[in-house]
């Protein structure tokens, strides 16, 4: 994909570094010319190492000044994604895309999906569909270009609807969020599904292991965010990390003090989106925790690879709940509500043993230190479990 987009014959570290520096300097030059949000930055850097001297861009900057970050005319905008900033009542983030930005994302999806989707395949797309150039629509277009058929399942389907789709449409591949996939597999069975791409949510090892045991094959985890064009890193056949779209995104890992860490060290992911036409971001702090896997991948590519990615905010504790509770084979899904000042779990099970097992887990683990939406979990109790069947 990178060779095609950049019109080069081979990918080397030197070639990638040159592409990144040239594109970064092009962005800096345009910022000066248009007096954009980054107009006070240098017009040119002599090396990628100088990037660490530039200030960070924050989620607050994007929420409050996102429109000033545009480097194209309003008429070129094809898609705007708005999101309320977590924990605030202020302006939400707005991320802008041109048609070219969306096309690059489709090509990235094709590169990732093309590892395991073949002409004639039928793929269940259990991602949000929100209109022209939305995430689900871009994935579906990538699948069509690969000669396969997308099933626009979306999110929020009942288990009955999912079971009907599995039986009538016979999809062989799945694209969606990991916990939703595990819930569907436990409730409906795997049917004809043989392979699955999971993204859109951190995938706890418990969930990943359970899915792989049911499918009897490896998962294909991908990583992306609105800020990097909905797609950022894809898995290859080596299943050893996720390859970054390095011709469109410069990747850094920083510690809590903002210092750049060497490859192999865990920290916060910082991105510089040099390939975005509408709204390039310079040193944007993602709030995601990961590391760059050192060395070359077994597949032979020299592109940088991200390891497991998870959120750094308090909502990350939901992942801890998933890690523990989905160890219970009878658990289909659960939700947490606050009732009369107490946090209570409502859970769905496939057998009567589920309620007993979930109570045992909660009694054995110290959950008082966990946070969910910045609320303490003291006095947590369990609603009567519900036994569910495939009907």
């Amino acid at each position: 994909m990178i060779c095609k987009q950049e019109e080069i014959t081979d990918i080397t570290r030197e070639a990638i570094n040159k592409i990144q520096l040239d594109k970064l300097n092009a962005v800096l030059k345009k910022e000066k010319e248009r007096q954009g949000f980054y107009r006070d930055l240098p017009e040119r850097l002599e090396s990628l190492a100088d990037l660490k001297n530039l200030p960070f861009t924050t989620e607050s900057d994007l929420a409050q000044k996102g429109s000033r970050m545009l480097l194209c005319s309003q008429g070129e905008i094809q898609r705007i994604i708005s999101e309320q900033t977590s924990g605030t009542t202020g302006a939400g983030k707005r991320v802008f895309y041109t048609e070219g930005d969306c096309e690059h994302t489709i090509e990235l999806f094709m590169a990732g999906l093309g590892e395991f989707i073949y002409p004639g395949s039928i793929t269940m797309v259990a991602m949000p569909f929100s209109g022209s150039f939305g995430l689900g629509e871009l994935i579906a277009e990538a699948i069509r270009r690969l000669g396969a058929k997308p099933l626009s399942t979306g999110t929020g389907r009942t288990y009955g609807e999912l079971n009907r789709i599995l039986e009538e449409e016979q999809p062989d591949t799945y694209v969606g969020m990991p916990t939703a996939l595990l819930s569907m597999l436990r409730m409906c069975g795997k049917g004809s599904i043989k392979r699955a791409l999971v993204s859109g949510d951190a995938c706890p090892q418990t969930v990943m292991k359970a899915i792989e045991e049911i499918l009897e094959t490896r998962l294909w985890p991908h990583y992306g965010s609105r800020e990097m064009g909905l797609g950022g890193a894809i898995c290859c056949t080596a299943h050893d990390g996720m390859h970054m779209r390095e011709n469109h995104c410069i990747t850094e890992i920083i510690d809590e003090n903002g210092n750049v860490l060497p490859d192999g060290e865990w920290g916060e992911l910082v991105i510089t989106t040099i390939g975005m036409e509408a709204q390039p971001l310079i040193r944007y702090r993602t709030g995601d925790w990961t590391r760059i896997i050192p060395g070359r991948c077994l597949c032979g590519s020299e592109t940088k690879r991200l390891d497991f990615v998870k959120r750094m905010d308090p909502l990350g504790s939901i992942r801890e709940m998933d890690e523990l509770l989905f160890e219970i084979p009878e658990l289909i899904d659960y939700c947490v509500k606050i009732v009369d000042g107490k946090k209570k779990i409502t859970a769905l099970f496939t057998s009567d043993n589920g309620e007993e097992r979930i109570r045992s887990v909660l009694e054995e683990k110290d959950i008082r230190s966990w946070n969910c939406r910045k609320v303490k979990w003291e006095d947590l109790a369990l609603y009567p479990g519900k036994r569910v069947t495939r009907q």
Side-chain angles (χ1 to χ4, degrees), residues 266-285:
W266 292 84
E268 182 181 0
L269 175 65
V270 173
I271 58 173
T272 299
T273 55
I274 49 176
M276 297 295 289
E277 296 176 347
Q279 192 183 39
L281 301 175
I282 297 177
R283 303 203 80 199
Y284 179 77
R285 300 186 65 155

Side-chain angles (χ1 to χ4, degrees), residues 237-305:
T237 54
H239 293 275
D240 187 18
M242 299 173 287
H243 292 270
M244 283 295 301
R245 55 192 293 189
E246 285 205 87
N247 62 325
H248 292 154
C249 186
I250 302 173
T251 305
E252 300 173 276
I253 304 295
I254 62 171
D255 63 19
E256 58 185 7
N257 297 315
N259 301 310
V260 178
L261 297 171
D263 291 356
E265 296 290 324
W266 292 84
E268 182 181 0
L269 175 65
V270 173
I271 58 173
T272 299
T273 55
I274 49 176
M276 297 295 289
E277 296 176 347
Q279 192 183 39
L281 301 175
I282 297 177
R283 303 203 80 199
Y284 179 77
R285 300 186 65 155
T286 65
D288 289 331
W289 180 266
T290 187
R291 70 170 183 142
I292 296 172
I293 300 174
R296 178 186 293 195
C297 181
L298 291 174
C299 75
S301 174
E302 291 199 40
T303 55
K304 290 185 177 180
R305 293 166 292 144

Side-chain angles (χ1 to χ4, degrees), residues 211-224:
I211 294 173
E212 291 181 341
E213 286 179 350
I214 295 173
L215 295 181
E216 299 180 307
T217 188
R218 298 292 301 276
L219 282 175
W220 300 80
H222 283 203
Y223 169 74

Side-chain angles (χ1 to χ4, degrees), residues 178-179 199-205 207 308-311 316 319 322:
T179 52
S199 187
D201 193 10
C203 187
Q205 290 301 309
V207 175
F308 180 83
V309 181
K310 68 177 182 179
R311 291 295 296 169
R319 180 180 175 276
D322 288 344

Side-chain angles (χ1 to χ4, degrees), residues 92-369:
K93 294 185 294 184
R94 302 185 76 204
V95 184
F96 300 80
Y97 311 99
T98 65
E99 184 174 355
D101 292 332
C102 295
E103 180 63 26
H104 287 155
T105 297
I106 291 172
E107 291 174 356
L108 178 75
F109 289 162
M110 289 177 65
L113 292 165
E115 296 280 8
F116 61 94
I117 287 180
Y118 314 106
S121 294
I122 301 175
T123 304
M124 178 184 292
V125 184
M127 286 291 196
F129 284 79
S130 54
S132 180
F133 297 103
L135 176 58
E137 286 79 7
L138 295 179
I139 295 172
E141 176 60 21
I143 293 169
R144 279 190 288 268
R145 292 189 190 182
L146 290 170
K149 175 185 175 181
L151 297 178
S152 301
T153 310
T155 58
R157 296 271 189 168
T158 67
Y159 292 118
E161 291 173 323
L162 293 172
N163 195 56
R164 179 189 59 77
I165 291 171
L166 289 173
E167 291 180 349
E168 295 181 2
E169 301 290 347
Q170 296 287 300
D172 53 39
T173 44
Y174 174 99
V175 177
M177 300 182 186
T179 52
L181 173 58
L182 179 56
S183 295
M184 183 186 74
L185 294 175
R186 285 182 171 179
M187 183 63 186
C188 304
K190 70 177 182 179
S192 54
I193 292 179
K194 299 179 179 65
R195 300 168 297 278
L197 181 157
V198 292
S199 187
D201 193 10
C203 187
Q205 290 301 309
T206 295
V207 175
M208 180 175 287
K209 180 181 178 182
I211 294 173
E212 291 181 341
E213 286 179 350
I214 295 173
L215 295 181
E216 299 180 307
T217 188
R218 298 292 301 276
L219 282 175
W220 300 80
H222 283 203
Y223 169 74
S225 67
R226 296 171 177 85
E227 293 82 2
M228 61 173 60
L230 300 174
I234 60 178
C235 180
C236 72
T237 54
H239 293 275
D240 187 18
M242 299 173 287
H243 292 270
M244 283 295 301
R245 55 192 293 189
E246 285 205 87
N247 62 325
H248 292 154
C249 186
I250 302 173
T251 305
E252 300 173 276
I253 304 295
I254 62 171
D255 63 19
E256 58 185 7
N257 297 315
N259 301 310
V260 178
L261 297 171
D263 291 356
E265 296 290 324
W266 292 84
E268 182 181 0
L269 175 65
V270 173
I271 58 173
T272 299
T273 55
I274 49 176
M276 297 295 289
E277 296 176 347
Q279 192 183 39
L281 301 175
I282 297 177
R283 303 203 80 199
Y284 179 77
R285 300 186 65 155
T286 65
D288 289 331
W289 180 266
T290 187
R291 70 170 183 142
I292 296 172
I293 300 174
R296 178 186 293 195
C297 181
L298 291 174
C299 75
S301 174
E302 291 199 40
T303 55
K304 290 185 177 180
R305 293 166 292 144
L306 297 185
D307 207 323
F308 180 83
V309 181
K310 68 177 182 179
R311 291 295 296 169
M312 295 172 61
D313 61 30
L315 285 176
S317 60
I318 290 294
R319 180 180 175 276
E320 296 178 51
M321 288 287 288
D322 288 344
E323 192 77 61
L324 281 174
L325 299 185
F326 278 108
E327 285 185 350
I328 302 168
E330 293 87 357
L331 180 68
I332 296 293
D333 204 353
Y334 72 94
C335 68
V336 181
K337 294 182 179 180
I338 302 174
V339 179
D340 297 328
K342 294 184 178 181
K343 294 76 183 175
K344 297 190 176 183
I345 292 178
T346 303
L348 297 176
F349 310 113
T350 56
S351 76
D352 294 332
N353 292 333
E355 181 179 355
E356 179 180 344
R357 292 198 185 196
I358 198 172
R359 285 187 184 278
S360 176
V361 168
L362 295 178
E363 289 172 359
E364 291 176 1
K365 302 295 182 179
D366 180 11
I367 60 173
R368 290 174 296 178
S369 62

